[in-house]
Amino acid sequence: MIRCNFKYFFQNTLLWLFFISLFVSCQKEAVEESVVPTETITKTTPLTSLIKRIAMVDTNKDNIVDKSSFTKINYPYSVLVNNVSILLNSDADLQLIRTNLNQHDDDDDFVIIHYPITITMYDYTVQQIQNTAAFNNLIQQCVNSGDLTKVYGVNIQYPITINKYNAVKQKLSSTQINANLDLFNYIKDLNSDADLISIAYPVQIVTQNNIIKNITSNNDFEDKIEYAIDNDNSNTQPLLTFQQIITSGIWRITYLSGQYDNNLENFIFVFNLNNVVVGTKNSNSYNGVWAYTTQNNFKNLSLNFNNQPLNKVNKNWTIFEYTSNQIRLKNVAGGGNPNEYLYLQKL
C-alpha cells in the first residue's frame, strides 16, 4: 500500500481546534503542559523514519568481525584471527584484531567467530546465534527485507520533548525523551492511524565533525539527516551504480507524499536502459521517460509521464538514498511547505 499524507490538512486543523478548545474550556481535568505544535508528523512520515534510524543501535563498531550493519555481537565472545585466539570483552579489544590483521600485507587474513554468540539487532532485539549458517541466514533475511540501518553523523543531544495528539482518543500528551533507546521505542509504539506528533524545537545535534547545530524545523531536521547520509563514510552505497540498480527488476511505490490520490496505488514500474519507464496497472501500461543526472554533487531522477495519474509524479527528484532494493527521492517544496517524498521498492 502506498502511504500518502492526504489527511495532512485535516489532521492539522483538528489539532489546532483541539488546542483552542483546551484554551477556552472550563474543564477541571489537568492537561499536561506542552508547546503548541506548528509542524505535525506521523509514524509513517519520512522524517519520523529518519529520526528512528538515528536512534538505532550502533552496529558498525564491530564490522571487522561480523561484517554487518544489522547486528552487534554482545561481549564477551572470542574469535580466531589468523590462528590466534582473541577474547573480546569491550570495544577496545577490537584493536587486537586490527593489530593482528595489519601485521603482514601478503597473507590471507581471516576472522572466525566462536559460537554460540548473543547479538543485538539494529532495532534493540536480542538473539542467540548457534553457528555460522544461522548467522548468515539472519543477515540475508535483513537484506531481503529492505530495512535501512542506522544513520551516523547525527547525534541528538538529549533530553528532547515530543508532543503527541491521539485523534481517536482526543488526548494530548507530552513526553521527555532521554536516550536513543527511549526515542526508538517511542516511535515504534506510535499508532499509525491515530497519533500526530510534534517535536519541540529547537533541538541540538552533534555532527560527525563534533559541531553542535540547532535544529529549528522539520525541514531543517530532514536536511541535516540527509546530508549525513550523503557524507558519512559509514553509510556506504551499494557496489552497483544507480543506473544499474534502477534498470534491474520491477519497482513499486511504497510511500508518496504531497497532493496525490489512491489511483497511483498498485502501479509497478520497469525502467529500461533506453530511458523509457513503463508503468503498469491492471494490464494497462503507460510509457514515460526517466533520466538520471548529477548537478552540484546532487543525484537526480527526473520522471515524465503524459498520462494521468502517473503525470502527478512528474518532477526532477533528488536521490537522497538508495540501496540495491530501495530508492528514496525528495522534492524540496520551498516556501516553508513540507518536502515531498517518493519511495520505490524492488519487488
Side-chain angles (χ1 to χ4, degrees):
M1 174 182 293
I2 301 174
R3 298 190 179 277
C4 302
N5 64 349
F6 309 136
K7 299 183 287 185
Y8 181 82
F9 176 79
F10 170 75
Q11 291 172 334
N12 281 278
T13 302
L14 180 62
L15 187 56
W16 277 107
L17 289 174
F18 179 76
F19 276 108
I20 293 171
S21 68
L22 285 179
F23 183 76
V24 301
S25 174
C26 296
Q27 294 179 8
K28 295 183 179 180
E29 293 184 10
V31 178
E32 296 184 29
E33 182 180 356
S34 61
V35 178
V36 176
T38 58
E39 299 179 293
T40 58
I41 54 179
T42 68
K43 185 175 184 176
T44 59
T45 303
L47 176 58
T48 313
S49 173
L50 291 171
I51 293 174
K52 186 179 180 183
R53 289 172 60 193
I54 292 175
M56 288 179 177
V57 174
D58 184 352
T59 58
N60 275 5
K61 290 181 180 178
D62 66 349
N63 280 3
I64 195 172
V65 178
D66 63 12
K67 299 178 176 60
S68 169
S69 295
F70 294 102
T71 61
K72 179 186 76 171
I73 305 178
N74 297 351
Y75 300 110
Y77 66 97
S78 63
V79 294
L80 188 67
V81 183
N82 295 333
N83 294 320
V84 176
S85 184
I86 298 178
L87 177 63
L88 304 170
N89 291 297
S90 68
D91 290 341
D93 291 334
L94 294 171
Q95 184 58 42
L96 299 174
I97 299 177
R98 298 186 184 95
T99 299
N100 185 295
L101 295 176
N102 293 331
Q103 283 181 349
H104 303 284
D105 294 332
D106 57 351
D107 57 349
D108 295 325
D109 294 320
F110 62 85
V111 178
I112 299 175
I113 302 171
H114 290 152
Y115 292 92
I117 57 173
T118 301
I119 64 170
T120 299
M121 302 291 294
Y122 62 99
D123 61 358
Y124 294 92
T125 58
V126 177
Q127 298 189 39
Q128 283 197 330
I129 307 296
Q130 300 299 321
N131 52 55
T132 301
F135 183 74
N136 291 341
N137 182 62
L138 174 65
I139 299 304
Q140 191 58 51
Q141 289 178 13
C142 293
V143 172
N144 293 341
S145 71
D147 288 346
L148 296 169
T149 54
K150 181 178 177 66
V151 172
Y152 293 89
V154 178
N155 295 302
I156 297 173
Q157 298 300 285
Y158 296 101
I160 65 172
T161 299
I162 301 180
N163 305 299
K164 180 173 71 174
Y165 175 66
N166 186 289
V168 174
K169 298 179 181 179
Q170 296 189 358
K171 180 179 180 182
L172 174 71
S173 62
S174 181
T175 302
Q176 179 173 293
I177 307 293
N178 297 302
N180 277 346
L181 175 59
D182 299 335
L183 179 57
F184 185 90
N185 286 332
Y186 181 91
I187 295 174
K188 182 185 68 174
D189 294 338
L190 288 174
N191 185 315
S192 300
D193 299 320
D195 289 334
L196 301 171
I197 64 172
S198 176
I199 301 168
Y201 293 109
V203 170
Q204 281 194 336
I205 64 167
V206 178
T207 68
Q208 186 182 31
N209 298 323
N210 293 320
I211 298 174
I212 298 176
K213 293 188 176 182
N214 284 325
I215 307 298
T216 58
S217 69
N218 287 349
N219 284 351
D220 189 19
F221 216 160
E222 288 175 356
D223 291 341
K224 295 296 189 299
I225 299 173
E226 290 161 9
Y227 179 86
I229 292 172
D230 283 338
N231 293 276
D232 186 1
N233 293 331
S234 300
N235 298 304
T236 56
Q237 296 285 11
L239 296 177
L240 297 176
T241 66
F242 179 81
Q243 297 96 315
Q244 289 172 321
I245 290 172
I246 198 170
T247 55
S248 171
I250 300 172
W251 299 84
R252 67 182 179 92
I253 298 175
T254 56
Y255 183 88
L256 185 59
S257 66
Q259 301 302 314
Y260 303 101
D261 56 55
N262 288 332
N263 289 328
L264 287 166
E265 192 170 343
N266 299 322
F267 268 98
I268 59 173
F269 299 87
V270 174
F271 294 83
N272 296 302
L273 290 171
N274 61 357
N275 292 107
V276 172
V277 54
V278 181
T280 302
K281 178 180 179 181
N282 298 331
S283 300
N284 296 316
S285 295
Y286 307 93
N287 287 357
V289 177
W290 72 275
Y292 170 78
T293 58
T294 58
Q295 185 177 12
N296 299 327
N297 294 323
F298 288 100
K299 304 179 182 70
N300 301 304
L301 174 67
S302 65
L303 298 174
N304 195 335
F305 288 93
N306 292 324
N307 305 87
Q308 293 185 351
L310 292 177
N311 60 355
K312 294 183 178 180
V313 301
N314 290 356
K315 282 183 176 64
N316 189 32
W317 299 91
T318 297
I319 306 163
F320 76 87
E321 188 171 23
Y322 65 93
T323 67
S324 59
N325 56 13
Q326 283 201 53
I327 297 173
R328 296 194 164 190
L329 309 172
K330 172 184 176 181
N331 179 59
V332 178
N337 296 312
N339 294 324
E340 296 179 321
Y341 288 87
L342 171 61
Y343 289 0
L344 300 173
Q345 172 120 19
K346 186 177 292 186
L347 294 178

